[in-house]
């Protein structure tokens, strides 16, 4: 597609439930990033993929959060036993690392609300 | 650790007047610097970046930013503000060395352009 696509755009879930958030990056982009943006805050880094592997997962807040990118394209962010504090906008971004193309292109985000 | 400071939560400017949104950064080594804009319920849109070379960088929608190494600043500017420029602006930094480096965002500055 032309841009980074994230689904669903909105997700409401009950505390304790499991959720999956999907990101479809720009075609050909090898690098994929997940960020979390809480109300009134800037995006906070969660995890970075280069190809299929998670090259940096230092931003994942705890072991309830996990992400995969099995074929080096689409990625899924998985949150187990959701808590109200997980409510935020989850942003995905992609780029091609190399040359001068250093900026990342963001999707519109998934707004997760845990009730 | 790298960091970004956006000292103003909100900037108000009259339409037609010049605007400045401030950003200072801290990074070991040389920085790559970025500005993104976020409209309500939208993802982040890339505006401009500083990689190397000319300290004055020109970007989308008439915006520009000046890299000042001695002051570790990268302020965003526009000569004549439009009402449609009203949005949330984020400054971001990463270290330039190596391949992948994590990008750190500031907390954002809300720009309000008054008709």
């Amino acid at each position: 597609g032309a841009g980074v696509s994230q689904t669903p755009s909105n997700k409401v879930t009950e505390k304790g439930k499991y959720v999956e958030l999907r990101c479809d990056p720009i075609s050909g982009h090898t690098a994929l990033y997940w960020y979390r943006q809480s109300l009134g805050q800037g995006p906070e880094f969660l995890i970075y993929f280069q190809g299929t592997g998670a090259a940096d997962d230092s931003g994942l807040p705890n072991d309830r959060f996990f992400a995969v990118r099995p074929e080096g394209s689409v990625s899924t962010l998985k949150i187990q036993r959701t808590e109200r504090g997980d409510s935020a906008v989850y942003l995905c971004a992609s780029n091609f690392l190399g040359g001068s193309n250093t900026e990342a292109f963001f999707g519109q985000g998934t707004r997760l609300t845990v009730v | 650790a790298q960091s970004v400071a956006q000292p103003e939560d909100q900037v108000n400017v009259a339409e037609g007047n010049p605007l400045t949104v401030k950003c200072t950064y801290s990074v070991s080594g040389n920085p790559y610097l970025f500005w993104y804009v976020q409209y309500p319920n939208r993802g982040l849109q890339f505006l401009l970046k500083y990689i190397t070379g000319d300290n004055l960088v020109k970007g989308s929608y008439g915006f520009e930013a000046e890299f000042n190494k001695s002051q570790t600043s990268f302020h965003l500017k526009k000569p004549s503000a439009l009402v449609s420029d009203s949005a949330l602006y984020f400054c971001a930094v990463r270290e330039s060395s190596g391949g992948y480096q994590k990008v750190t965002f500031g907390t954002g500055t809300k720009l309000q352009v008054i008709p």
Side-chain angles (χ1 to χ4, degrees):
Chain A
V4 178
S5 176
Q6 291 188 247
T7 54
S9 55
N10 280 284
K11 176 71 177 178
V12 180
T13 191
E14 292 181 348
K15 179 175 176 294
K17 298 290 188 183
Y18 167 83
V19 295
E20 290 189 351
L21 312 179
R22 176 188 166 107
C23 172
D24 198 342
I26 292 172
S27 178
H29 280 185
T30 55
L32 184 146
Y33 312 80
W34 283 100
Y35 285 81
R36 179 168 70 174
Q37 186 176 17
S38 300
L39 195 62
Q41 299 295 317
E44 294 178 282
F45 170 80
L46 295 177
I47 187 169
Y48 154 69
F49 287 90
Q50 179 63 275
T52 60
D56 182 352
D57 64 358
S58 61
L60 294 178
N62 51 61
D63 61 6
R64 294 186 299 104
F65 288 76
F66 189 71
V68 296
R69 195 185 184 200
E71 297 178 356
S73 179
V74 171
S75 176
T76 304
L77 179 65
K78 307 180 181 196
I79 310 174
Q80 298 177 321
R81 305 182 304 279
T82 51
E83 300 178 358
R84 293 197 178 89
D86 299 335
S87 297
V89 176
Y90 289 81
L91 296 168
C92 178
S94 70
N95 66 357
F96 177 74
L97 283 185
S100 62
N101 185 12
T102 53
E103 70 269 24
F105 297 86
F106 282 79
Q108 297 201 7
T110 294
R111 181 176 299 277
L112 176 66
T113 304
V114 182
V115 297
Chain B
Q2 59 194 32
S3 64
V4 173
Q6 293 183 244
E8 304 152 317
D9 289 337
Q10 182 160 334
V11 169
N12 296 322
V13 63
E15 186 177 23
N17 282 4
L19 69 87
T20 299
V21 182
K22 295 179 181 178
C23 170
T24 59
Y25 67 91
S26 173
V27 66
S28 50
N30 293 319
Y32 286 168
L33 292 153
F34 308 86
W35 276 101
Y36 285 84
V37 60
Q38 187 175 40
Y39 296 97
N41 300 313
R42 302 286 295 275
L44 277 74
Q45 288 180 243
F46 170 74
L47 273 181
L48 51 79
K49 65 184 177 186
Y50 170 81
I51 302 300
T52 188
D54 196 343
N55 288 343
L56 184 64
V57 178
K58 294 189 184 296
S60 306
Y61 312 119
F63 283 93
E64 58 189 29
E66 186 165 11
F67 171 62
N68 187 316
K69 188 171 183 177
S70 63
Q71 297 186 5
T72 62
S73 67
F74 190 56
H75 301 330
L76 181 70
K77 301 183 179 186
K78 187 173 181 181
S80 178
L82 300 172
V83 172
S84 57
D85 294 330
S86 298
L88 194 53
Y89 290 80
F90 291 96
C91 182
V93 69
R94 57 159 278 197
E95 190 181 329
S96 64
S97 63
Y100 161 75
Q101 295 287 344
K102 189 185 308 183
V103 173
T104 299
F105 283 83
T107 53
T109 298
K110 182 179 180 181
L111 174 66
Q112 189 76 39
V113 180
I114 303 160

